[in-house]
Amino acid sequence: MTVGVKVVKAPEMTVWERLYLPMVFKGLAITFSHFFRKSVTVQFPEERPEYPYGSRGLHRLNRDSDGRVKCVACDMCATACPANCISIVGQPSPWPDREKMPETFEINLLRCIFCGFCEEACPEDAIELTGIHDFASDSRENMIIDREGLLAVYDKTAPSRPRRAGKTASEGASNVEREGSLHA
Ligand code: SF4
Ligand code: SF4
């Protein structure tokens, strides 16, 4: 035996333990006891879980009280975005209260990490993350949401629905991609 090394022997199993039957019955008892408990499984999409406040889902571009897009194409959200997934092309605004508005505004949802930095950076409260999480597509192109798609998300979730309200925000806007408004 090597000096300084302590050999630890595995404890001997008794005959009862070698049978494994007690453990088998104990496992079955636990399994059957769950038959009579309330299920924690949610029957999605008919049932929707209550997302915690602050959970971050699909973006939206907000409108002002006149129905105009609030965004002034300042590019601060795109600058703050760590995933570099926001593309904005500005154009002169037709309204006297702002210089610019977005001609195009695209977010690549496959690159987005839903950090919320764009929302934090926006000086106009023009971009927000909603509680909508159930969007998917079978093509990469359809996962790029454009200006009209982002405004469509706003129209479905605001103004009556509170920001990032999880279940409430998901109601009626359950699958924006399925309803074709990622590229409205
Ligand atoms: S949530 Fe984060 S990663 Fe997604 S667009 Fe906004 S800043 Fe970029
Ligand atoms: S969404 Fe906000 S931060 Fe982004 S370009 Fe528009 S006004 Fe600027």
Coordinates of all heavy atoms in Angstrom, one line a residue, residues 49-139:
P49 N -48.7 30.6 -19.9 CA -48.2 30.8 -18.5 C -48.1 32.3 -18.2 O -48.0 33.1 -19.2 CB -46.8 30.2 -18.6 CG -46.4 30.3 -20.1 CD -47.7 30.1 -20.8
E50 N -48.1 32.6 -17.0 CA -47.9 34.0 -16.6 C -46.4 34.3 -16.5 O -45.7 33.9 -15.6 CB -48.6 34.2 -15.2 CG -48.6 35.7 -14.7 CD -49.8 36.4 -15.4 OE1 -50.9 36.0 -15.3 OE2 -49.5 37.5 -15.9
Y51 N -46.0 35.1 -17.5 CA -44.5 35.4 -17.5 C -44.3 36.4 -16.4 O -45.1 37.3 -16.2 CB -44.1 36.0 -18.8 CG -44.2 35.0 -20.0 CD1 -45.1 35.2 -21.0 CD2 -43.5 33.8 -20.0 CE1 -45.2 34.3 -22.1 CE2 -43.6 32.9 -21.0 CZ -44.5 33.2 -22.1 OH -44.6 32.3 -23.1
P52 N -43.1 36.4 -15.8 CA -42.8 37.4 -14.7 C -42.7 38.8 -15.3 O -42.2 38.9 -16.5 CB -41.5 36.9 -14.2 CG -40.9 36.0 -15.2 CD -42.0 35.4 -16.0
Y53 N -43.0 39.8 -14.5 CA -42.8 41.1 -15.0 C -41.4 41.4 -15.4 O -40.4 41.0 -14.7 CB -43.2 42.1 -13.9 CG -43.0 43.6 -14.4 CD1 -43.9 44.2 -15.2 CD2 -41.9 44.3 -14.0 CE1 -43.8 45.5 -15.7 CE2 -41.7 45.6 -14.4 CZ -42.6 46.2 -15.2 OH -42.4 47.4 -15.7
G54 N -41.2 42.0 -16.5 CA -39.8 42.3 -16.9 C -39.3 41.3 -17.9 O -38.2 41.5 -18.4
S55 N -40.0 40.2 -18.1 CA -39.5 39.2 -19.1 C -39.5 39.9 -20.5 O -40.4 40.8 -20.8 CB -40.4 38.0 -19.2 OG -41.7 38.3 -19.6
R56 N -38.6 39.6 -21.3 CA -38.4 40.3 -22.6 C -38.7 39.4 -23.8 O -38.1 38.4 -23.9 CB -37.0 40.8 -22.6 CG -36.6 41.8 -21.5 CD -35.3 42.4 -21.7 NE -34.2 41.5 -21.4 CZ -33.6 41.4 -20.3 NH1 -33.9 42.3 -19.3 NH2 -32.6 40.6 -20.1
G57 N -39.7 39.9 -24.6 CA -40.0 39.1 -25.8 C -39.9 40.0 -27.0 O -39.1 40.9 -27.1
L58 N -40.8 39.7 -27.9 CA -40.8 40.4 -29.2 C -40.9 41.9 -29.1 O -41.6 42.5 -28.3 CB -42.0 39.9 -30.1 CG -42.1 40.3 -31.5 CD1 -40.9 39.8 -32.3 CD2 -43.4 39.8 -32.1
H59 N -40.1 42.6 -30.0 CA -40.1 44.1 -29.9 C -41.3 44.7 -30.6 O -42.0 44.0 -31.4 CB -38.9 44.6 -30.7 CG -37.6 43.9 -30.4 ND1 -37.4 42.6 -30.7 CD2 -36.5 44.3 -29.9 CE1 -36.2 42.2 -30.3 NE2 -35.6 43.3 -29.8
R60 N -41.5 45.9 -30.3 CA -42.5 46.7 -31.0 C -42.0 48.1 -31.2 O -41.2 48.6 -30.4 CB -43.9 46.7 -30.2 CG -43.9 47.6 -29.0 CD -45.2 47.4 -28.2 NE -45.3 48.5 -27.2 CZ -46.3 48.4 -26.3 NH1 -47.1 47.4 -26.2 NH2 -46.3 49.4 -25.4
L61 N -42.5 48.8 -32.2 CA -42.3 50.2 -32.4 C -43.5 50.9 -32.0 O -44.6 50.7 -32.6 CB -41.9 50.5 -33.9 CG -40.4 50.5 -34.3 CD1 -40.3 50.9 -35.7 CD2 -39.5 51.3 -33.3
N62 N -43.4 51.8 -31.1 CA -44.6 52.5 -30.5 C -45.0 53.7 -31.5 O -44.2 54.3 -32.2 CB -44.2 53.1 -29.2 CG -44.0 52.0 -28.2 OD1 -44.5 50.9 -28.3 ND2 -43.3 52.3 -27.1
R63 N -46.3 54.0 -31.3 CA -46.9 55.1 -32.0 C -47.1 56.3 -31.0 O -47.3 56.0 -29.8 CB -48.2 54.8 -32.7 CG -48.1 53.7 -33.8 CD -49.5 53.5 -34.4 NE -49.6 52.3 -35.2 CZ -49.2 52.3 -36.5 NH1 -48.8 53.5 -37.1 NH2 -49.3 51.3 -37.3
D64 N -47.1 57.5 -31.5 CA -47.5 58.6 -30.6 C -49.0 58.8 -30.6 O -49.8 58.0 -31.2 CB -46.8 59.9 -31.0 CG -47.2 60.4 -32.4 OD1 -48.2 59.9 -33.0 OD2 -46.5 61.3 -32.9
S65 N -49.5 59.8 -30.0 CA -51.0 60.0 -29.8 C -51.7 60.2 -31.2 O -52.9 60.1 -31.3 CB -51.3 61.1 -28.8 OG -50.6 62.3 -29.3
D66 N -50.9 60.6 -32.2 CA -51.5 60.9 -33.5 C -51.4 59.6 -34.4 O -51.7 59.7 -35.6 CB -50.8 62.1 -34.2 CG -51.1 63.3 -33.4 OD1 -52.2 63.5 -32.9 OD2 -50.1 64.2 -33.4
G67 N -50.8 58.6 -33.8 CA -50.7 57.3 -34.6 C -49.4 57.3 -35.5 O -49.3 56.3 -36.3
R68 N -48.6 58.3 -35.3 CA -47.3 58.3 -36.1 C -46.3 57.4 -35.3 O -46.3 57.3 -34.1 CB -46.8 59.7 -36.3 CG -47.8 60.7 -36.9 CD -47.3 62.1 -36.9 NE -47.0 62.5 -35.5 CZ -46.5 63.7 -35.2 NH1 -46.2 64.6 -36.2 NH2 -46.3 64.1 -34.0
V69 N -45.3 56.9 -36.1 CA -44.3 56.1 -35.5 C -43.4 57.1 -34.6 O -43.1 58.2 -35.0 CB -43.4 55.4 -36.5 CG1 -42.7 56.4 -37.5 CG2 -42.3 54.5 -35.9
K70 N -43.2 56.7 -33.4 CA -42.4 57.6 -32.4 C -41.0 57.7 -32.8 O -40.3 58.7 -32.4 CB -42.6 57.1 -31.0 CG -43.8 57.5 -30.3 CD -43.8 56.9 -28.9 CE -44.1 57.9 -27.8 NZ -44.1 57.4 -26.5
C71 N -40.4 56.7 -33.4 CA -39.0 56.6 -33.7 C -38.6 57.9 -34.5 O -39.2 58.2 -35.5 CB -38.7 55.4 -34.4 SG -37.0 55.2 -35.0
V72 N -37.4 58.4 -34.1 CA -36.9 59.6 -34.9 C -35.6 59.2 -35.6 O -34.8 60.1 -36.0 CB -36.6 60.8 -33.9 CG1 -37.9 61.3 -33.4 CG2 -35.7 60.4 -32.8
A73 N -35.3 57.9 -35.7 CA -34.2 57.4 -36.5 C -32.9 57.9 -36.0 O -32.0 58.3 -36.8 CB -34.4 57.6 -38.0
C74 N -32.7 58.0 -34.7 CA -31.5 58.5 -34.1 C -30.4 57.5 -34.1 O -29.2 57.8 -33.8 CB -31.7 59.1 -32.7 SG -32.1 57.8 -31.5
D75 N -30.7 56.2 -34.2 CA -29.7 55.1 -34.3 C -29.2 54.8 -32.9 O -28.2 54.0 -32.8 CB -28.6 55.5 -35.2 CG -28.3 54.4 -36.2 OD1 -29.3 53.6 -36.5 OD2 -27.2 54.2 -36.7
M76 N -29.7 55.3 -31.8 CA -29.1 55.0 -30.5 C -29.3 53.6 -30.1 O -28.5 52.9 -29.5 CB -29.6 56.0 -29.5 CG -29.0 57.3 -29.6 SD -29.6 58.5 -28.3 CE -28.8 57.8 -26.9
C77 N -30.5 53.0 -30.5 CA -30.8 51.6 -30.2 C -29.8 50.7 -30.9 O -29.3 49.7 -30.3 CB -32.2 51.3 -30.5 SG -32.7 51.6 -32.2
A78 N -29.6 51.0 -32.2 CA -28.6 50.2 -33.0 C -27.2 50.3 -32.4 O -26.5 49.3 -32.4 CB -28.7 50.6 -34.4
T79 N -26.9 51.5 -31.9 CA -25.5 51.6 -31.4 C -25.4 50.9 -30.1 O -24.3 50.3 -29.8 CB -25.3 53.1 -31.1 OG1 -25.5 53.9 -32.3 CG2 -23.9 53.4 -30.6
A80 N -26.4 50.8 -29.3 CA -26.4 50.1 -28.0 C -26.5 48.6 -28.2 O -26.1 47.9 -27.3 CB -27.5 50.6 -27.1
C81 N -27.0 48.1 -29.3 CA -27.3 46.7 -29.4 C -26.0 45.9 -29.5 O -25.2 46.1 -30.4 CB -28.1 46.5 -30.7 SG -28.4 44.7 -31.1
P82 N -25.8 45.0 -28.5 CA -24.5 44.2 -28.5 C -24.5 43.1 -29.6 O -23.5 42.6 -29.9 CB -24.5 43.6 -27.1 CG -26.0 43.5 -26.7 CD -26.6 44.7 -27.4
A83 N -25.7 42.8 -30.1 CA -25.8 41.7 -31.1 C -25.7 42.3 -32.5 O -25.8 41.5 -33.5 CB -27.0 40.9 -30.9
N84 N -25.7 43.6 -32.6 CA -25.6 44.3 -33.9 C -26.7 43.8 -34.9 O -26.5 43.4 -36.0 CB -24.3 44.0 -34.6 CG -23.9 45.0 -35.7 OD1 -24.5 46.1 -35.7 ND2 -23.1 44.6 -36.6
C85 N -27.9 43.7 -34.3 CA -29.0 43.1 -35.2 C -30.1 44.1 -35.5 O -31.1 43.8 -36.1 CB -29.6 42.0 -34.4 SG -30.4 42.3 -32.8
I86 N -29.9 45.4 -35.3 CA -30.8 46.5 -35.7 C -30.3 47.2 -36.8 O -29.1 47.7 -36.8 CB -31.1 47.4 -34.5 CG1 -31.6 46.7 -33.3 CG2 -32.1 48.5 -34.9 CD1 -31.9 47.6 -32.1
S87 N -31.1 47.4 -37.9 CA -30.6 48.2 -39.1 C -31.7 49.2 -39.3 O -32.9 48.9 -39.5 CB -30.6 47.3 -40.3 OG -29.8 46.2 -40.1
I88 N -31.2 50.5 -39.4 CA -32.2 51.6 -39.5 C -31.7 52.5 -40.7 O -30.5 52.8 -40.7 CB -32.3 52.5 -38.3 CG1 -32.7 51.6 -37.1 CG2 -33.3 53.6 -38.5 CD1 -32.5 52.3 -35.7
V89 N -32.6 52.8 -41.6 CA -32.3 53.8 -42.6 C -33.3 55.0 -42.3 O -34.5 54.7 -42.4 CB -32.5 53.3 -44.0 CG1 -32.2 54.4 -45.0 CG2 -31.5 52.1 -44.2
G90 N -32.7 56.1 -42.1 CA -33.6 57.3 -41.8 C -34.0 58.0 -43.1 O -33.4 57.9 -44.1
Q91 N -35.0 58.8 -42.9 CA -35.4 59.7 -44.0 C -36.0 61.0 -43.4 O -36.4 61.0 -42.2 CB -36.5 59.1 -44.9 CG -37.8 58.8 -44.2 CD -38.8 58.1 -45.1 OE1 -38.6 58.0 -46.3 NE2 -40.0 57.7 -44.5
P92 N -36.0 62.1 -44.2 CA -36.5 63.4 -43.6 C -38.0 63.2 -43.2 O -38.8 62.5 -43.9 CB -36.4 64.4 -44.7 CG -35.4 63.8 -45.6 CD -35.5 62.3 -45.5
S93 N -38.3 63.7 -42.0 CA -39.7 63.6 -41.5 C -40.6 64.6 -42.2 O -40.2 65.8 -42.5 CB -39.7 63.8 -40.0 OG -41.0 64.2 -39.6
P94 N -41.8 64.2 -42.5 CA -42.8 65.2 -43.1 C -43.4 66.1 -42.1 O -44.2 67.0 -42.4 CB -43.8 64.2 -43.8 CG -43.8 63.0 -43.0 CD -42.4 62.8 -42.5
W95 N -43.1 65.8 -40.8 CA -43.7 66.6 -39.7 C -42.8 67.6 -39.1 O -41.6 67.4 -39.0 CB -44.2 65.6 -38.6 CG -45.0 64.4 -39.2 CD1 -46.2 64.5 -39.8 CD2 -44.6 63.1 -39.1 NE1 -46.6 63.3 -40.2 CE2 -45.7 62.3 -39.8 CE3 -43.6 62.3 -38.5 CZ2 -45.7 61.0 -39.9 CZ3 -43.6 60.9 -38.7 CH2 -44.6 60.3 -39.3
P96 N -43.3 68.7 -38.7 CA -42.4 69.8 -38.2 C -41.8 69.6 -36.9 O -40.8 70.2 -36.5 CB -43.3 71.0 -38.2 CG -44.7 70.5 -38.0 CD -44.7 69.2 -38.7
D97 N -42.3 68.6 -36.1 CA -41.8 68.4 -34.7 C -40.6 67.4 -34.6 O -40.2 67.1 -33.5 CB -43.0 67.9 -33.8 CG -43.6 66.6 -34.3 OD1 -43.3 66.2 -35.5 OD2 -44.3 66.0 -33.5
R98 N -40.1 67.0 -35.7 CA -38.9 66.1 -35.7 C -38.2 66.2 -37.1 O -38.9 66.5 -38.1 CB -39.3 64.6 -35.4 CG -40.2 64.0 -36.5 CD -40.9 62.7 -36.0 NE -41.9 63.0 -35.0 CZ -42.8 62.1 -34.6 NH1 -42.7 60.9 -34.9 NH2 -43.7 62.5 -33.7
E99 N -36.9 65.9 -37.0 CA -36.2 66.0 -38.3 C -36.3 64.7 -39.1 O -36.3 64.8 -40.3 CB -34.7 66.2 -37.9 CG -34.4 67.6 -37.4 CD -32.9 67.8 -37.2 OE1 -32.1 67.0 -37.6 OE2 -32.6 68.8 -36.5
K100 N -36.2 63.6 -38.4 CA -36.2 62.3 -39.2 C -37.2 61.3 -38.7 O -37.7 61.4 -37.6 CB -34.8 61.7 -39.1 CG -33.7 62.5 -39.8 CD -32.5 61.6 -40.0 CE -31.8 61.1 -38.8 NZ -30.6 60.3 -39.0
M101 N -37.4 60.3 -39.5 CA -38.2 59.2 -39.2 C -37.6 58.0 -39.9 O -36.8 58.1 -40.8 CB -39.7 59.3 -39.6 CG -39.9 59.4 -41.1 SD -41.6 59.4 -41.6 CE -42.1 57.8 -41.3
P102 N -37.9 56.8 -39.5 CA -37.2 55.6 -40.1 C -37.9 55.3 -41.5 O -39.1 55.1 -41.5 CB -37.4 54.5 -39.1 CG -38.6 54.8 -38.4 CD -38.7 56.3 -38.3
E103 N -37.1 55.2 -42.5 CA -37.6 54.7 -43.8 C -37.7 53.2 -43.7 O -38.7 52.6 -44.1 CB -36.7 55.1 -44.9 CG -37.2 54.7 -46.3 CD -36.2 55.1 -47.4 OE1 -35.1 55.6 -47.1 OE2 -36.6 54.9 -48.6
T104 N -36.6 52.6 -43.2 CA -36.7 51.1 -42.9 C -36.2 50.9 -41.5 O -35.3 51.7 -41.0 CB -35.8 50.3 -43.9 OG1 -34.4 50.7 -43.7 CG2 -36.2 50.5 -45.3
F105 N -36.7 49.9 -40.8 CA -36.3 49.6 -39.5 C -36.4 48.1 -39.4 O -37.5 47.5 -39.4 CB -37.2 50.3 -38.5 CG -36.7 50.3 -37.1 CD1 -36.4 51.5 -36.4 CD2 -36.4 49.1 -36.4 CE1 -35.9 51.5 -35.1 CE2 -36.0 49.1 -35.1 CZ -35.7 50.3 -34.4
E106 N -35.3 47.4 -39.3 CA -35.3 46.0 -39.2 C -34.6 45.4 -38.0 O -33.5 46.0 -37.6 CB -34.7 45.4 -40.5 CG -35.5 45.6 -41.7 CD -34.9 44.9 -43.0 OE1 -33.7 44.5 -42.9 OE2 -35.7 44.8 -44.0
I107 N -35.1 44.4 -37.4 CA -34.4 43.7 -36.3 C -34.3 42.2 -36.7 O -35.3 41.6 -37.1 CB -35.2 43.8 -35.0 CG1 -35.3 45.3 -34.6 CG2 -34.5 43.0 -33.9 CD1 -36.1 45.5 -33.3
N108 N -33.1 41.7 -36.7 CA -32.9 40.3 -37.0 C -33.1 39.5 -35.7 O -32.3 39.5 -34.8 CB -31.5 40.0 -37.5 CG -31.3 38.6 -38.0 OD1 -32.0 37.7 -37.5 ND2 -30.3 38.4 -38.9
L109 N -34.3 38.9 -35.6 CA -34.6 38.2 -34.3 C -33.8 36.9 -34.1 O -33.8 36.4 -32.9 CB -36.1 37.8 -34.4 CG -37.1 39.0 -34.4 CD1 -38.5 38.6 -34.7 CD2 -37.0 39.8 -33.1
L110 N -33.1 36.4 -35.1 CA -32.3 35.3 -34.9 C -31.0 35.7 -34.2 O -30.3 34.9 -33.5 CB -32.0 34.6 -36.2 CG -33.2 33.8 -36.8 CD1 -32.8 33.2 -38.1 CD2 -33.7 32.7 -35.9
R111 N -30.6 36.9 -34.4 CA -29.3 37.4 -33.7 C -29.6 38.1 -32.4 O -28.7 38.1 -31.5 CB -28.6 38.4 -34.6 CG -28.2 37.8 -35.9 CD -27.4 38.8 -36.7 NE -26.1 39.1 -36.1 CZ -25.1 39.8 -36.6 NH1 -25.2 40.2 -37.9 NH2 -24.0 40.0 -36.0
C112 N -30.8 38.6 -32.2 CA -31.2 39.3 -31.0 C -31.0 38.4 -29.8 O -31.4 37.2 -29.8 CB -32.6 39.8 -31.1 SG -33.2 40.5 -29.6
I113 N -30.5 38.9 -28.7 CA -30.4 38.1 -27.4 C -31.4 38.6 -26.4 O -31.3 38.3 -25.2 CB -28.9 38.2 -26.9 CG1 -28.5 39.7 -26.7 CG2 -28.0 37.5 -27.8 CD1 -27.1 39.8 -26.0
F114 N -32.3 39.5 -26.8 CA -33.4 40.0 -25.9 C -32.8 40.6 -24.6 O -33.3 40.3 -23.5 CB -34.4 38.9 -25.7 CG -35.0 38.5 -27.0 CD1 -34.5 37.4 -27.7 CD2 -36.1 39.2 -27.5 CE1 -35.1 37.1 -29.0 CE2 -36.7 38.9 -28.8 CZ -36.1 37.8 -29.5
C115 N -31.8 41.4 -24.8 CA -31.2 42.0 -23.6 C -31.9 43.2 -23.1 O -31.8 43.6 -22.0 CB -29.7 42.3 -23.9 SG -29.5 43.6 -25.2
G116 N -32.6 43.9 -24.0 CA -33.4 45.1 -23.7 C -32.6 46.4 -23.7 O -33.1 47.4 -23.4
F117 N -31.3 46.3 -24.2 CA -30.5 47.5 -24.3 C -31.1 48.5 -25.2 O -31.0 49.7 -25.0 CB -29.1 47.1 -24.7 CG -28.2 46.5 -23.6 CD1 -28.8 46.2 -22.4 CD2 -26.9 46.4 -23.8 CE1 -28.0 45.6 -21.4 CE2 -26.1 45.8 -22.8 CZ -26.6 45.4 -21.6
C118 N -31.7 48.1 -26.3 CA -32.3 49.0 -27.3 C -33.4 49.8 -26.6 O -33.5 51.0 -26.8 CB -32.9 48.3 -28.5 SG -33.9 46.9 -28.1
E119 N -34.2 49.2 -25.8 CA -35.3 49.8 -25.1 C -34.7 50.8 -24.1 O -35.2 51.9 -23.9 CB -36.1 48.8 -24.3 CG -37.3 49.3 -23.6 CD -38.0 48.1 -22.9 OE1 -37.7 47.0 -23.2 OE2 -39.0 48.4 -22.2
E120 N -33.6 50.5 -23.4 CA -33.0 51.3 -22.4 C -32.4 52.6 -23.1 O -32.4 53.7 -22.5 CB -31.9 50.6 -21.6 CG -32.4 49.4 -20.9 CD -33.4 49.7 -19.8 OE1 -33.3 50.8 -19.2 OE2 -34.2 48.9 -19.5
A121 N -31.9 52.4 -24.3 CA -31.1 53.4 -24.9 C -32.0 54.4 -25.6 O -31.6 55.6 -25.8 CB -30.2 52.8 -26.0
C122 N -33.2 54.1 -25.9 CA -34.1 54.9 -26.8 C -34.6 56.2 -26.0 O -35.2 56.1 -25.0 CB -35.3 54.1 -27.2 SG -36.4 55.1 -28.3
P123 N -34.3 57.3 -26.5 CA -34.6 58.6 -25.8 C -36.1 58.9 -26.0 O -36.6 59.9 -25.4 CB -33.7 59.6 -26.5 CG -33.5 59.1 -27.8 CD -33.5 57.6 -27.7
E124 N -36.8 58.3 -27.0 CA -38.2 58.6 -27.3 C -39.2 57.6 -26.8 O -40.3 57.7 -27.1 CB -38.3 58.7 -28.8 CG -37.4 59.8 -29.5 CD -37.8 61.2 -29.1 OE1 -39.0 61.4 -28.9 OE2 -36.9 62.0 -29.1
D125 N -38.7 56.6 -26.1 CA -39.6 55.4 -25.7 C -40.3 54.9 -26.9 O -41.5 54.5 -26.9 CB -40.6 55.9 -24.7 CG -40.0 56.0 -23.3 OD1 -39.0 55.4 -23.0 OD2 -40.6 56.8 -22.5
A126 N -39.5 54.8 -28.0 CA -40.1 54.3 -29.3 C -40.1 52.8 -29.5 O -40.9 52.3 -30.2 CB -39.5 55.1 -30.5
I127 N -39.1 52.2 -28.9 CA -38.9 50.8 -29.0 C -39.1 50.1 -27.7 O -38.6 50.6 -26.6 CB -37.6 50.4 -29.7 CG1 -37.5 48.9 -30.0 CG2 -36.4 50.8 -28.8 CD1 -36.4 48.5 -30.9
E128 N -39.9 49.0 -27.6 CA -40.1 48.3 -26.4 C -40.2 46.8 -26.7 O -40.5 46.4 -27.8 CB -41.5 48.7 -25.8 CG -41.5 50.0 -25.0 CD -42.8 50.2 -24.3 OE1 -43.8 50.2 -25.0 OE2 -42.8 50.3 -23.1
L129 N -39.9 46.1 -25.6 CA -40.0 44.6 -25.7 C -41.3 44.2 -25.1 O -41.6 44.6 -24.0 CB -38.8 43.9 -25.1 CG -37.5 43.8 -26.0 CD1 -36.9 45.1 -26.3 CD2 -36.5 42.9 -25.3
T130 N -42.0 43.4 -25.8 CA -43.3 43.0 -25.3 C -43.2 41.6 -24.5 O -42.1 41.1 -24.4 CB -44.3 42.8 -26.4 OG1 -43.9 41.7 -27.2 CG2 -44.4 44.1 -27.3
G131 N -44.3 41.1 -24.1 CA -44.4 39.8 -23.5 C -44.6 38.6 -24.5 O -44.9 37.5 -24.1
I132 N -44.5 38.9 -25.8 CA -44.8 37.9 -26.8 C -43.5 37.0 -27.0 O -42.5 37.6 -27.4 CB -45.2 38.5 -28.1 CG1 -46.5 39.3 -27.9 CG2 -45.4 37.4 -29.2 CD1 -46.9 40.1 -29.1
H133 N -43.6 35.7 -26.7 CA -42.5 34.9 -26.9 C -42.7 33.8 -27.9 O -41.7 33.1 -28.3 CB -42.1 34.2 -25.5 CG -41.8 35.1 -24.4 ND1 -42.8 35.8 -23.7 CD2 -40.6 35.6 -24.0 CE1 -42.2 36.6 -22.8 NE2 -40.9 36.5 -23.0
D134 N -43.9 33.6 -28.3 CA -44.2 32.4 -29.2 C -44.2 32.9 -30.7 O -45.2 33.0 -31.3 CB -45.5 31.8 -28.8 CG -46.6 32.7 -28.7 OD1 -46.4 33.9 -28.4 OD2 -47.8 32.3 -28.9
F135 N -43.0 33.2 -31.2 CA -42.9 33.4 -32.6 C -41.8 32.5 -33.2 O -40.8 32.3 -32.5 CB -42.6 34.9 -32.9 CG -41.5 35.5 -32.1 CD1 -40.2 35.4 -32.6 CD2 -41.7 36.0 -30.8 CE1 -39.1 35.9 -31.9 CE2 -40.6 36.5 -30.1 CZ -39.3 36.5 -30.6
A136 N -42.1 32.0 -34.3 CA -41.1 31.1 -35.0 C -41.4 31.2 -36.5 O -42.4 31.7 -37.0 CB -41.3 29.7 -34.5
S137 N -40.5 30.6 -37.2 CA -40.6 30.6 -38.7 C -39.8 29.4 -39.2 O -38.8 28.9 -38.5 CB -40.2 31.9 -39.3 OG -40.3 31.8 -40.7
D138 N -40.1 29.0 -40.4 CA -39.3 28.0 -41.1 C -38.3 28.6 -42.0 O -37.6 27.9 -42.8 CB -40.2 27.0 -41.8 CG -41.1 27.6 -42.8 OD1 -41.0 28.9 -43.0 OD2 -41.9 26.9 -43.4
S139 N -38.1 29.9 -42.0 CA -37.1 30.5 -42.8 C -36.4 31.6 -42.1 O -37.0 32.3 -41.2 CB -37.7 31.0 -44.1 OG -38.3 32.3 -43.9

